[in-house]
Amino acid sequence: MIPVMEFRQFSEQQPAFRVLKPWWDVFTDYLSVVMLMIGVFGCTLQVMQDKIICLPQRESSGNTSEVEVKSLLHLQSNISAVPREMTGLKTQLDFQQYLFINQMCYEKALHWYAKFFPYLVLIHTLIFMVCSNFWFKFPGSSSKIEHFISMLSKCFDSPWTTRALSEVSGENPEEKDKKSDTSRSNIALSPGEGSLEKTQSLRSIPEKIVADKPSASALDKKEGEQAKALFEKVKKFRLHVEEGDILYLMYVRQTVFKVFKFLLIIAYNSSLVNKVRNRVSCQVEIQDMTGYRNFQCNHTMAHLFSKLSYCYLCLVAVYGLTSLYTSYWLFYRSLKEYSFEYVRQETGINDIPDVKNDFAFMLHMIDQYDPLYSKRFAVFLSEVSENKLKQLNLNNDWTADKLRQRLQTNSNNRLELQLFMLPGLPDTVFELTELQSLKLEIINNATIPGSISQLEDLQELSLYQCSLKSQTTATSFLKENLKVLRVKFDDNRELPNWMYVLRNLEELYLTGSLSPDASKNIALESLREMKGLKLLYLKSNLTKIPQSIVDVSSHLQRLYLHNDGTKLVMLNNLKKMTNLIELELVHCDLERIPHAIFSLTNLQELDLKENNLRSIEEIISFQHLRKLTCLKLWHNGIMYIPEHIKKLGSLERLYFSHNKIEILPSHLFLCNKLRYLDVSNNDIRFIPPEIGVLQSLQYFSVTCNKIENLPDELFFCKKLKTLKLGKNSLSSLSPKISYLAQLTYLDLKGNHFELLPQELGCCRALKHSGLIVEDTLFQTLPPDVRDQMKAE
C-alpha cells in the first residue's frame, strides 16, 4: 500500500507561508487530503484484490450452436470414465481458463469508468493539490513571497517596531496611550460607518502599539542596525513588487482553473457514476478455447467504488463551492490596492503610503490570516520613521575620529573620504576641514546641509547610486567651489537637480542609463548652463549626441562617450566641437570612422575602441589633423592597414590590438615619430625589416600572434624600453638583443625557445622582474647574467 505521506511534497510548503493561506485554502487542503486517501484506497484495492469474477452462461438448447454441441460431446467423452458427482453444473473449465476469461471480460466488458475511477480520483486530487500551491513553487512568484515573508516576520518580531512608533510620534508614552484609547473609543462608537470601511483594509482590532514603559534614550545598537536593514529591504522590495501583478494573476488563474476542473469533474462523474455495476454481461469469441461465448461477471469492488464515487462527488462539490467563494472574493474586492488609512489614524504616522499590485495583494492575504501583521509592518513603510531612526545613532556611530581614519589620497592627489551604504550623511563629515574629495556610494534620501561650507578645500564630489538633496546654502557653496563631479546612477531620478547650477564645474562624469532618444533627455538638456565645463565623460546608451553637449563645445576640450553597444548615429554635431583635444567613442557600434571627426583640427587623441570597424580606408583624412598624436583603433574587426596610414606623420602612439590583421605593411613604419605601437592579439606572421626606421620607438607589442622569426632591424630601435613578444611561434632570439641597452621589460613567455642568449646581460636596465619568461628557460642564462638581473 502506498503511504499518503509520500504525496506531501505536492502540497507541502514552508511553514512560514501559512500566513498567506486564508481559511478557504486551508479548508481545501484538508479536502484534498481526504480525496487523496479515497484515491489511494481505491488504487490499493485495484492492485491487491480480484477485479472481476466471471462464469459461463449456458444458452437455451434450441439456440445451441453445432460447434458448442460437438464441443460438449467431446468433453463428455473424455470424462465418461470418471464417475459423476452431482455437485452442480460442470463447465469443464480449469483455473487458468477462468483467469483468462476474467481478464478478457475485464478489458472488454467492464466500463472504463468502473476500471479507472480510483486513478481518476488520484490524478484529479494531485492536480488540485499542485494547483493550490503552485504560486508558492513558481520561480517568478515564490521568490517574491519568500522575500516578503522573511521581511514580515522580522518586522513583526523586531522589538524596534514598538519603539519606532514612540520615536516617530514625538509624544510621551502616557500621552500616546491616551490618544490611542481615544481613537479606539471613537471608532467603537461608530461601527456602522461605511465611508472608512470602503477605504481601509484593516479591521479595527484593538492593539496597544506603544510600549508601557518609556523607551531608553540610548537605543540598542544591534536593534538599530537591524531596523535600518529592514527599512532598506522593505523599500527596495516595494519598488520591485509594485511594478507587476504576477502574484495576483497566478492566484486568480489557479482559482479559475480549480473552478473549471470542479465543473468538469462534476459533469462527467455525475453521468458516469451509474456505470459502476455489480453484474456485467460479457460476450467474447473464445468458444474454440473454452466452449462458451457468453459469460456473466461480477465486479467485486463495484459496490465499494459506487459508494466512494458518491462520496468523492460530495467532496468535490464542497471543494468547488469553496473555490467559487474564492473567485467571488477575488473579483468583488479591489485586491490590487491597499490602504493604510486606519493605521495612519491610529498611530499618527501620516506618511504611510498606500500600496498597489502584488504588494497590496499579499497584504490582503495577510489580513485573512491576522491583521496585526499588516499593522506592524506598516511602520517600516514610513519615511518619517525611517529618517528619525537613521539619524538617532548615526552621528554616534560615525565620529569625526573614525571618519578621519578613513581618509585616503585618490588618483587626483586629493584627500578623499569614501562612505558606502550608510543610512544617511553623518554631520561629523563636515568637521573634517582638510577634506578635498567626498565620495558617496549608495546613500539615499539624505540632505547636504549648509554646514558643508566648513569644507573650504572641497573640490571633488562623487555620487554613486545616491539620491541627495541639497539645502540652499549648501548649493551656493558647491556652485562656487566644486570643480569635479562624478555621478553614477541607475535612474534619472538619481541625478541631483542642483547639479545644473554648478557653473564653475570643470569636469563632469555621468554613468547610467538614459533615454536613447536624445530629445527626451531633459537631464542632458540642462547641461547647456555649464559654460566652464572642460571635460565630459558620458557612459550611457544614446543614439545621437545631444544638442546640449554641442552648446558647451566652445569650452569642452575632452569628450568621452561610452555607449554600451547602442548604435551611435547622426554624428555631424561633432563638427562644431572645434576645441576638442581628446575624443573617445567607445562601444558605439560604428562601422565606419565618422567623417565629422576629420573637422576637429585641434584633436590630439582619438579612441574608437570596441566598435565594428572592418575597413579604415577613411584614415587618409586624418592627415588634415596635424595635432593628432594618438590613434586607438583596438578591439575591432579590422582586416588590414591601408597604405594611407603613412601620411599620418604626427602619430606617436598607435593601437591596433585585438583585430584581425594578418599582414603588417611596411608603409606603416613611415610614421617615423611612433613611440608606442601595439599590434597584439592579431594574426600577424611576419614583421617587415622596415621597422628599424622607427628610431623613436619605445613600446612595441606583438603578443598573441603567429610570428616565427624576428628581423634583425628590430634591434636597431635602440630606444625600446618595452618589448612584448609572448605567445608567438619564436624559436630563437638574436644576440643583437644586446643593442637594446634601455630595455626594461621583455616578454618572451609562450614561445618555443630552448635557451636564451647570454647577450641579454648587455641589457643593463633589464631586471629579473621585467623579464617575463619560463623559469626553466631563465636557468639557461649564465649564472653571472642571472645574478646581475636579480640584483636590484
Side-chain angles (χ1 to χ4, degrees):
M1 185 172 179
I2 304 175
V4 179
M5 298 297 290
E6 294 293 330
F7 297 94
R8 289 183 60 188
Q9 58 179 328
F10 293 101
S11 61
E12 189 179 68
Q13 65 273 341
Q14 297 183 18
F17 284 9
R18 67 182 183 275
V19 298
L20 286 177
K21 292 184 73 70
W23 68 265
W24 50 82
D25 280 349
V26 177
F27 180 65
T28 53
D29 283 347
Y30 282 108
L31 289 177
S32 298
V33 172
V34 177
M35 289 188 288
L36 184 65
M37 293 177 66
I38 292 176
V40 172
F41 178 65
C43 291
T44 305
L45 292 179
Q46 285 275 66
V47 174
M48 299 186 66
Q49 295 188 11
D50 292 335
K51 303 171 185 176
I52 192 171
I53 299 175
C54 298
L55 292 176
Q57 181 179 3
R58 290 187 181 275
E59 299 181 359
S60 60
S61 58
N63 296 330
T64 304
S65 64
E66 182 180 355
V67 176
E68 291 178 349
V69 172
K70 291 180 179 180
S71 176
L72 291 174
L73 292 174
H74 177 70
L75 292 174
Q76 290 176 1
S77 63
N78 290 337
I79 62 172
S80 59
V82 181
R84 293 185 177 182
E85 296 181 3
M86 301 303 292
T87 57
L89 180 64
K90 282 190 172 289
T91 62
Q92 307 301 326
L93 299 179
D94 59 17
F95 181 71
Q96 293 295 332
Q97 288 175 316
Y98 274 117
L99 291 179
F100 178 74
I101 294 169
N102 292 343
Q103 188 64 31
M104 288 287 293
C105 290
Y106 179 80
E107 297 294 337
K108 183 175 181 181
L110 196 64
H111 193 271
W112 67 268
Y113 183 78
K115 291 188 289 186
F116 302 116
F117 163 73
Y119 305 106
L120 292 174
V121 173
L122 187 62
I123 293 173
H124 288 319
T125 305
L126 290 179
I127 293 176
F128 274 135
M129 297 173 73
V130 171
C131 183
S132 296
N133 298 280
F134 186 72
W135 73 316
F136 291 127
K137 304 293 184 180
F138 184 69
S141 57
S142 64
S143 58
K144 294 181 179 180
I145 293 175
E146 288 176 1
H147 288 132
F148 177 71
I149 295 298
S150 175
M151 290 187 303
L152 184 69
S153 60
K154 291 178 181 178
C155 293
F156 186 87
D157 297 332
S158 175
W160 196 269
T161 306
T162 301
R163 191 174 297 183
L165 290 169
S166 61
E167 291 290 339
V168 171
S169 65
E171 301 175 356
N172 294 329
E174 294 81 1
E175 296 177 358
K176 185 67 178 179
D177 286 338
K178 293 178 181 179
K179 182 176 180 180
S180 300
D181 294 338
T182 305
S183 175
R184 287 194 294 268
S185 63
N186 291 337
I187 296 175
L189 289 176
S190 55
E193 292 183 359
S195 60
L196 183 60
E197 186 67 26
K198 294 180 180 180
T199 58
Q200 69 183 24
S201 299
L202 295 175
R203 297 190 298 272
S204 177
I205 295 182
E207 178 198 6
K208 191 172 182 180
I209 298 180
V210 184
D212 293 334
K213 297 181 181 180
S215 59
S217 58
L219 299 174
D220 183 82
K221 182 178 180 180
K222 183 179 180 180
E223 294 177 359
E225 292 300 323
Q226 292 175 348
K228 294 173 186 177
L230 281 176
F231 272 115
E232 292 299 323
K233 288 181 179 179
V234 170
K235 186 180 299 182
K236 293 180 180 179
F237 180 79
R238 181 192 170 197
L239 291 175
H240 174 63
V241 175
E242 282 193 324
E243 293 177 355
D245 54 358
I246 183 173
L247 296 178
Y248 175 76
L249 292 178
M250 288 291 296
Y251 195 82
V252 168
R253 288 169 183 171
Q254 71 182 33
T255 302
V256 172
F257 179 80
K258 288 192 291 185
V259 172
F260 171 77
K261 192 166 183 63
F262 146 71
L263 297 175
L264 177 65
I265 294 173
I266 292 296
Y268 86 83
N269 275 268
S270 300
S271 61
L272 297 177
V273 68
N274 57 350
K275 299 296 183 180
V276 183
R277 301 170 182 172
N278 290 84
R279 296 191 61 182
V280 180
S281 297
C282 174
Q283 182 178 2
V284 289
E285 300 294 335
I286 57 174
Q287 59 268 33
D288 293 339
M289 299 174 58
T290 63
Y292 298 94
R293 183 175 61 180
N294 298 321
F295 299 89
Q296 282 293 328
C297 302
N298 178 42
H299 185 198
T300 59
M301 290 170 288
H303 180 73
L304 180 59
F305 279 4
S306 178
K307 302 302 180 184
L308 288 178
S309 61
Y310 283 111
C311 181
Y312 174 66
L313 282 176
C314 293
L315 292 175
V316 171
V318 177
Y319 193 103
L321 292 175
T322 307
S323 299
L324 288 173
Y325 173 80
T326 306
S327 304
Y328 169 79
W329 183 78
L330 286 172
F331 296 110
Y332 176 73
R333 302 185 60 181
S334 178
L335 300 181
K336 297 175 70 173
E337 297 178 357
Y338 190 93
S339 173
F340 285 99
E341 180 65 26
Y342 176 75
V343 181
R344 289 194 289 264
Q345 292 182 0
E346 182 173 332
T347 63
I349 307 176
N350 295 322
D351 71 322
I352 300 176
D354 295 336
V355 295
K356 58 182 180 179
N357 289 337
D358 279 344
F359 206 175
F361 178 67
M362 284 189 288
L363 290 172
H364 280 292
M365 298 293 283
I366 290 292
D367 285 346
Q368 297 299 317
Y369 183 81
D370 189 350
L372 183 60
Y373 279 91
S374 298
K375 295 173 66 176
R376 296 182 69 86
F377 183 74
V379 174
F380 289 88
L381 293 171
S382 169
E383 292 187 6
V384 172
S385 61
E386 179 185 9
N387 294 333
K388 291 283 186 179
L389 293 172
K390 284 192 299 186
Q391 292 296 331
L392 193 59
N393 288 323
L394 186 61
N395 293 335
N396 293 333
D397 292 340
W398 295 92
T399 62
D401 293 336
K402 182 178 180 180
L403 293 174
R404 191 169 278 108
Q405 294 175 1
R406 299 171 63 91
L407 292 177
Q408 295 179 348
T409 303
N410 63 9
S411 58
N412 294 328
N413 201 27
R414 292 190 176 106
L415 198 61
E416 183 177 80
L417 173 64
Q418 180 178 357
L419 299 178
F420 179 73
M421 287 191 70
L422 293 185
L425 197 58
D427 295 332
T428 50
V429 170
F430 309 112
E431 298 178 11
L432 309 179
T433 55
E434 68 273 23
L435 193 64
Q436 296 175 312
S437 174
L438 180 59
K439 185 176 183 180
L440 307 178
E441 296 188 43
I442 317 181
I443 298 179
N444 296 321
N445 299 324
T447 302
I448 302 177
S451 55
I452 195 175
S453 59
Q454 301 175 20
L455 307 180
E456 297 179 355
D457 296 330
L458 185 66
Q459 296 182 356
E460 184 175 342
L461 179 61
S462 301
L463 306 177
Y464 291 170
Q465 296 179 346
C466 298
S467 57
L468 296 183
K469 299 178 182 179
S470 177
Q471 295 182 356
T472 305
T473 53
T475 303
S476 301
F477 170 80
L478 294 174
K479 179 179 178 181
E480 298 296 330
N481 293 270
L482 202 62
K483 302 296 182 184
V484 180
L485 177 62
R486 292 181 172 87
V487 182
K488 184 177 181 181
F489 56 93
D490 290 333
D491 194 312
N492 290 343
R493 290 173 294 184
E494 295 179 5
L495 288 172
N497 295 328
W498 46 266
M499 177 183 73
Y500 310 110
V501 301
L502 305 178
R503 298 186 180 181
N504 289 332
L505 198 67
E506 297 179 357
E507 299 180 13
L508 177 60
Y509 300 81
L510 297 179
T511 303
S513 178
L514 295 169
S515 173
D517 188 356
S519 62
K520 297 181 180 179
N521 282 318
I522 302 176
L524 292 182
E525 290 300 320
S526 302
L527 295 180
R528 63 179 79 249
E529 302 296 330
M530 301 181 181
K531 300 300 182 182
L533 198 63
K534 297 181 180 179
L535 183 150
L536 176 60
Y537 174 93
L538 186 58
K539 185 176 182 180
S540 188
N541 54 345
L542 299 175
T543 56
K544 62 180 180 180
I545 298 178
Q547 183 63 32
S548 58
I549 297 180
V550 181
D551 294 339
V552 297
S553 61
S554 59
H555 301 281
L556 203 60
Q557 297 180 358
R558 292 174 173 84
L559 177 61
Y560 308 114
L561 295 180
H562 293 226
N563 223 30
D564 291 336
T566 303
K567 189 174 185 62
L568 190 63
V569 296
M570 300 177 63
L571 295 173
N572 292 332
N573 288 343
L574 284 174
K575 295 181 180 180
K576 300 180 181 180
M577 303 182 185
T578 55
N579 292 323
L580 278 184
I581 297 176
E582 294 182 18
L583 175 62
E584 288 186 8
L585 300 177
V586 176
H587 210 181
C588 296
D589 196 23
L590 300 177
E591 298 179 357
R592 294 284 183 178
I593 300 177
H595 291 278
I597 297 178
F598 306 138
S599 302
L600 307 179
T601 55
N602 290 317
L603 196 64
Q604 298 179 10
E605 182 174 334
L606 175 63
D607 189 351
L608 299 177
K609 181 181 179 182
E610 294 181 351
N611 284 287
N612 291 325
L613 299 179
R614 299 289 186 270
S615 174
I616 52 173
E617 291 293 340
E618 303 91 343
I619 204 171
I620 187 174
S621 300
F622 281 133
Q623 63 181 322
H624 304 298
L625 308 182
R626 304 295 183 183
K627 297 181 181 180
L628 186 66
T629 59
C630 179
L631 179 59
K632 299 181 179 180
L633 299 173
W634 47 353
H635 295 269
N636 280 284
I638 299 173
M639 306 291 294
Y640 66 94
I641 301 176
E643 182 179 356
H644 311 303
I645 198 170
K646 65 184 179 182
K647 297 185 179 181
L648 308 184
S650 60
L651 277 183
E652 297 180 2
R653 291 185 292 160
L654 185 58
Y655 297 73
F656 270 117
S657 64
H658 295 86
N659 278 287
K660 299 179 181 179
I661 300 172
E662 297 182 358
I663 299 176
L664 205 57
S666 57
H667 43 256
L668 170 64
F669 306 110
L670 296 179
C671 303
N672 51 17
K673 290 185 180 181
L674 279 178
R675 294 185 292 106
Y676 187 106
L677 178 59
D678 187 357
V679 289
S680 60
N681 291 276
N682 281 284
D683 298 321
I684 301 172
R685 297 180 179 273
F686 176 72
I687 299 178
E690 286 82 1
I691 193 173
V693 178
L694 304 180
Q695 291 298 304
S696 299
L697 193 64
Q698 299 178 13
Y699 180 101
F700 182 53
S701 175
V702 287
T703 57
C704 298
N705 279 284
K706 302 176 182 178
I707 300 172
E708 298 180 356
N709 296 293
L710 296 175
D712 291 342
E713 289 79 4
L714 173 63
F715 305 107
F716 295 160
C717 304
K718 297 183 179 181
K719 292 185 179 181
L720 265 177
K721 296 181 179 180
T722 300
L723 179 59
K724 296 184 177 182
L725 305 171
K727 297 183 181 179
N728 278 283
S729 301
L730 299 173
S731 57
S732 62
L733 186 62
S734 173
K736 294 182 180 180
I737 190 72
S738 60
Y739 296 170
L740 306 180
Q742 300 183 29
L743 193 65
T744 59
Y745 187 94
L746 177 62
D747 182 6
L748 301 175
K749 198 169 186 179
N751 284 283
H752 307 307
F753 294 116
E754 296 182 358
L755 54 86
L756 295 177
Q758 63 181 2
E759 284 78 7
L760 277 176
C762 299
C763 303
R764 299 291 180 178
L766 184 63
K767 300 299 180 184
H768 185 223
S769 59
L771 179 60
I772 310 301
V773 70
E774 291 82 356
D775 293 337
T776 56
L777 197 57
F778 180 74
Q779 298 300 324
T780 62
L781 289 172
D784 56 333
V785 176
R786 296 200 303 266
D787 294 340
Q788 171 191 321
M789 289 187 175
K790 291 180 180 179
E792 295 296 335

